[in-house]
Amino acid sequence: MTETVEVGRKEVILKRTRWGRIKDSLNEFWLVFSNNTSALVGLAIFSVILMVAVFAPFIAPYDPYVKTGMPFEAPSDAHLLGTNDVGEDILSELIYGARISLLIGFVAAVVATLIGGVLGLLSGYYGGVVDEVIMRFTDVWLAFPGLLFTIFLAAVLVRTPIGGRIIYTVIIAIALNSWSGVARLVRSVTLKVKEMPFVEAARAAGASNFKIIFRHILPNASPILLVSVLTRIDSAMLTEASLSFLGIGDPTVKSWGMIIHYAMIRNAIVTGRWWWFIPPGLMISITVLSIILISIGLEEYINPRIRRGF
Amino acid sequence: MRRVLVRRAITSLITFFIAISLVFVISRLTGDPLSELIENPEVAPETVEALRRAFGLDKPLYVQYINFIQSTLVGQLGYSINYKRPVFDVIMEKLPYTIALLIPAITLSNYFAYRLGVESGWRRGKKFDISITSVSLFIRATPHFWLAIVLLYIFGVWLGIFPIFGAVTAGAEYASIWDWLKDYLWHYFLPVSVIVIRATGAMFLYIRNSLVETLGEDYITTAVAKGLPEKIVLYKHAARNALLPAVTVMGLRYAFIIDGAVLTETVFSYPGTGRLVYEAIVYRDFFLLQGAVIILTTSVIFVNFIIDLIYLYLDPRVRYR
């Protein structure tokens, strides 16, 4: 009886200190981050775009998948950015597009981080031949024209989509474009963590390799993984936009890149309908820029030696 | 020196094999690379069967793999459904246009990034640095194809001072080679500008940050303390050392430039190898897509090898290790 009480108390104490540590590091993080003006600007812009994405149905004047005007209308009071080739409102497409572009970017970044994370953990933990093979492969992959391979992979796979949805296929193809950086980062963290005393203790207590990797090393690598998800959303969004622009993707899912694709194939550029292709590109640029600015702030926090002087 | 060279060459060869093996794996992921042709109403079933037999797609997978490697090495990349000609011939015909875009893109963007990066790093925190750095960040955040579209719209459509598609005026007859060159350069200006701007934006920050780091070194303080002129300290002492880490990422930049060429050529309807990628997607021309990927990737590996050699020349420590 007394034993369980004691164990219970210990758990409470442990939890409290861990929570305290998280709070401390959050405070420290905010101190560094809030000192960086451009990172704050980035965060503000990103928050606004996130809000637009979340509350799209309340903000958008129309349903972007319903014909609400004549085809190819110029901007007017009824349609602030005009209409597309089938008479759907472009402003509404743009607002709903925030959801799709952000979501695809985010999920692809998570998948890329998972792939890179697992490879990095294995490579760093086992070392030797495993490490050699994985790292050589990573090097080779880094030197490839990534977009070209992503295009090839997506173009081949789109014919028989994974899980029956083209969008999943596109996400996987995008993720394969950007896992290699994560693998290197996680590997270097793993190399450091695996030499720490608690890993040795865990091994002495008879923990399996699997348990050591996922219970002991992974939690220590998780801040890096979180940051890498965030810093990969921007490149994932750019890749998604490029694929959609080339016409690889689900034609019924209107991301910002897909809007530009339709504008191009319906000759909006040569006929001067700027309201169709300028706004979506601007939205991509601003969103990606805000994420880059946030990333720079995060990097400064993680690696204090970097002083970029922004 | 020779040993390092041989090792680099072997690494490049291994990379090449991994690359074409990957292309093989990807192309067989769906089981049958010709499945799309079967659905294409414009292609007769007999043609598909003939292609299948001609490229040994009815044989077991490992035989296909060996055949694939062999035919790739001798430049047999298959048959283009759209052009109705061997893929290799189509690509080789278009390749000069792409190379003509890429060479100035690589050299100019590296030069601009170098000059701007050094000047910007030297004035870090000043107005010049902040404005150049902000512009480069915005360029980095801009989708490549969209930058191309914006320039095409402003200068080609709105102002009307540049042509909106092609490498030369369609159907034009030229009195002399100079007339042709003038027409060619007129078409060439916008696409090459897009690639140079994007590549400069991507490279600039590396050089700037590398220079800022170098400026913190003791030997820079010494050089300044000796009373050497600013220009000498900056270009002879700091910039040379700042350039080394930047050269290593030059190879990566080249892969990035190729990616950009695909998008830029698509926007400008420029008849290069990059545009073939887009056409192959639109016309579902499998062998053309595969061939373009192989040729462009090979060029990346080749250029990386050359960059390695330059690096050997620049950094004696690597040479004598």
Side-chain angles (χ1 to χ4, degrees):
Chain A
M1 187 65 191
T2 42
E3 247 178 40
T4 46
V5 168
E6 261 182 25
V7 168
R9 200 189 292 151
K10 249 186 212 160
E11 256 176 19
V12 168
I13 291 167
L14 262 179
K15 264 182 195 157
R16 190 178 288 155
T17 52
R18 181 179 283 177
W19 176 232
R21 248 190 298 151
I22 291 173
K23 234 163 85 176
D24 279 354
S25 55
L26 272 179
N27 277 335
E28 191 200 329
F29 162 71
W30 186 245
L31 215 68
V32 176
F33 192 83
S34 60
N35 251 330
N36 190 328
T37 324
S38 50
L40 282 182
V41 171
L43 189 65
I45 298 173
F46 187 73
S47 312
V48 171
I49 292 165
L50 199 65
M51 285 304 193
V52 168
V54 171
F55 297 109
F58 303 101
I59 303 171
Y62 302 98
D63 183 338
Y65 293 94
V66 173
K67 186 176 176 297
T68 49
M70 299 298 288
F72 300 115
E73 263 183 59
S76 64
D77 286 342
H79 299 279
L80 287 176
L81 289 175
T83 57
N84 66 9
D85 52 328
V86 285
E88 293 158 349
D89 185 49
I90 292 175
L91 178 64
S92 307
E93 281 190 314
L94 212 59
I95 292 169
Y96 274 85
R99 278 187 167 186
I100 291 153
S101 291
L102 279 179
L103 195 66
I104 295 179
F106 177 72
V107 177
V110 170
V111 177
T113 304
L114 283 179
I115 299 172
V118 168
L119 286 178
L121 280 171
L122 293 178
S123 176
Y125 183 77
Y126 286 105
V129 186
V130 180
D131 185 32
E132 190 68 22
V133 169
I134 294 180
M135 278 303 118
R136 281 294 140 264
F137 189 68
T138 310
D139 286 348
V140 167
W141 195 275
L142 267 174
F144 278 170
L147 181 66
L148 198 61
F149 265 79
T150 310
I151 290 171
F152 186 46
L153 182 66
V156 169
L157 280 183
V158 154
R159 293 185 257 156
T160 45
I162 299 165
R165 302 250 339 239
I166 294 175
I167 202 82
Y168 299 147
T169 313
V170 170
I171 285 173
I172 299 227
I174 297 169
L176 286 177
N177 189 12
S178 58
W179 58 268
S180 45
V182 192
R184 282 194 166 182
L185 257 175
V186 172
R187 174 178 174 270
S188 67
V189 174
T190 310
L191 282 178
K192 246 179 264 162
V193 176
K194 83 168 178 184
E195 300 301 334
M196 288 183 178
F198 68 86
V199 174
E200 210 173 314
R203 194 172 299 132
S208 64
N209 283 335
F210 184 84
K211 196 167 179 189
I212 293 175
I213 293 178
F214 288 97
R215 284 295 298 272
H216 299 284
I217 296 179
L218 184 63
N220 283 285
S222 53
I224 298 279
L225 291 175
L226 279 178
V227 172
S228 105
V229 168
L230 190 94
T231 54
R232 244 144 277 268
I233 298 177
D234 56 344
S235 59
M237 280 183 64
L238 286 177
T239 312
E240 186 277 330
S242 303
L243 287 180
S244 299
F245 167 73
L246 291 171
I248 304 168
D250 191 336
T252 62
V253 173
K254 290 180 180 174
S255 68
W256 288 328
M258 201 48 99
I259 299 175
I260 302 178
H261 169 72
Y262 279 116
M264 184 187 68
I265 61 172
R266 300 284 181 254
N267 293 323
I269 302 159
V270 286
T271 53
R273 296 196 175 88
W274 55 267
W275 53 86
W276 195 354
F277 58 86
I278 296 280
L282 260 183
M283 291 307 292
I284 300 171
S285 303
I286 293 171
T287 312
V288 170
L289 184 65
S290 73
I291 298 168
I292 291 179
L293 292 176
I294 297 172
S295 313
I296 290 172
L298 282 177
E299 247 172 74
E300 208 162 272
Y301 165 69
I302 287 180
N303 182 2
R305 280 187 309 170
I306 303 175
R307 283 285 171 263
R308 284 171 194 253
F310 287 112
Chain B
M1 177 75 184
R2 176 171 289 172
R3 268 209 359 237
V4 181
L5 218 114
V6 171
R7 207 189 314 141
R8 290 287 153 88
I10 291 173
T11 316
S12 296
L13 277 179
I14 294 174
T15 310
F16 175 72
F17 270 99
I18 295 182
I20 48 177
S21 304
L22 262 176
V23 169
F24 178 82
V25 170
I26 292 174
S27 68
R28 301 299 188 279
L29 272 181
T30 52
D32 182 6
L34 295 180
S35 62
E36 193 142 284
L37 287 182
I38 298 169
E39 294 159 19
N40 191 336
E42 285 171 33
V43 181
E46 298 84 54
T47 319
V48 178
E49 278 315 305
L51 279 172
R52 190 184 303 282
R53 247 172 292 125
F55 293 104
L57 294 176
D58 44 1
K59 301 219 172 69
L61 215 52
Y62 71 94
V63 179
Q64 283 188 37
Y65 179 65
I66 294 167
N67 284 344
F68 181 77
I69 301 267
Q70 277 174 345
S71 51
T72 303
L73 287 178
V74 296
Q76 281 177 359
L77 299 174
Y79 185 82
S80 164
I81 305 297
N82 184 34
Y83 283 86
K84 305 202 170 27
R85 281 165 56 203
V87 166
F88 189 76
D89 296 356
V90 178
I91 293 177
M92 282 305 141
E93 186 189 297
K94 310 273 181 182
L95 200 58
Y97 289 105
T98 300
I99 291 176
L101 277 179
L102 294 178
I103 289 174
I106 297 169
T107 47
L108 284 181
S109 69
N110 279 325
Y111 177 72
F112 288 152
Y114 167 68
R115 282 305 298 271
L116 287 173
V118 168
E119 295 293 331
S120 204
W122 182 249
R123 296 177 176 79
R124 66 182 178 283
K126 302 268 172 58
K127 234 184 213 151
F128 178 84
D129 176 40
I130 291 173
S131 47
I132 299 273
T133 307
S134 313
V135 170
S136 92
L137 280 182
F138 195 77
I139 291 173
R140 257 174 69 171
T142 307
H144 204 129
F145 64 88
W146 188 68
L147 188 67
I149 288 177
V150 170
L151 290 192
L152 173 68
Y153 171 66
I154 293 177
F155 296 104
V157 180
W158 190 32
L159 298 175
I161 49 178
F162 282 104
I164 51 174
F165 71 92
V168 285
T169 310
E173 305 228 345
Y174 301 104
S176 68
I177 183 96
W178 295 111
D179 281 355
W180 175 85
L181 191 66
K182 245 199 284 180
D183 192 39
Y184 173 79
L185 288 177
W186 185 47
H187 283 79
Y188 176 76
F189 184 77
L190 280 184
V192 86
S193 303
V194 172
I195 301 181
V196 170
I197 292 173
R198 258 299 262 181
T200 307
M203 189 72 184
F204 163 82
L205 264 189
Y206 279 103
I207 295 185
R208 178 198 173 273
N209 292 341
S210 172
L211 187 92
V212 169
E213 231 165 84
T214 315
L215 286 177
E217 299 282 347
D218 288 343
Y219 58 80
I220 301 293
T221 318
T222 312
V224 174
K226 273 198 302 193
L228 287 181
E230 228 176 63
K231 281 267 165 224
I232 306 263
V233 176
L234 185 55
Y235 280 96
K236 294 234 152 149
H237 295 244
R240 287 191 177 180
N241 286 297
L243 210 54
L244 280 181
V247 174
T248 47
V249 296
M250 244 166 72
L252 307 185
R253 292 299 106 196
Y254 178 66
F256 175 85
I257 289 173
I258 283 274
D259 288 343
V262 173
L263 296 166
T264 308
E265 286 178 7
T266 302
V267 171
F268 289 98
S269 310
Y270 205 77
T273 314
R275 163 99 187 161
L276 286 181
V277 172
Y278 175 67
E279 284 178 9
I281 295 165
V282 173
Y283 298 111
R284 305 188 159 200
D285 197 342
F286 175 77
F287 285 115
L288 186 61
L289 180 60
Q290 180 179 273
V293 171
I294 292 173
I295 297 281
L296 291 176
T297 306
T298 308
S299 82
V300 170
I301 295 167
F302 181 72
V303 169
N304 277 339
F305 178 64
I306 303 284
I307 288 171
D308 271 349
L309 296 189
I310 296 174
Y311 197 66
L312 279 179
Y313 172 76
L314 283 179
D315 190 351
R317 284 173 302 180
V318 183
R319 218 182 308 164
Y320 296 115
R321 198 165 56 200

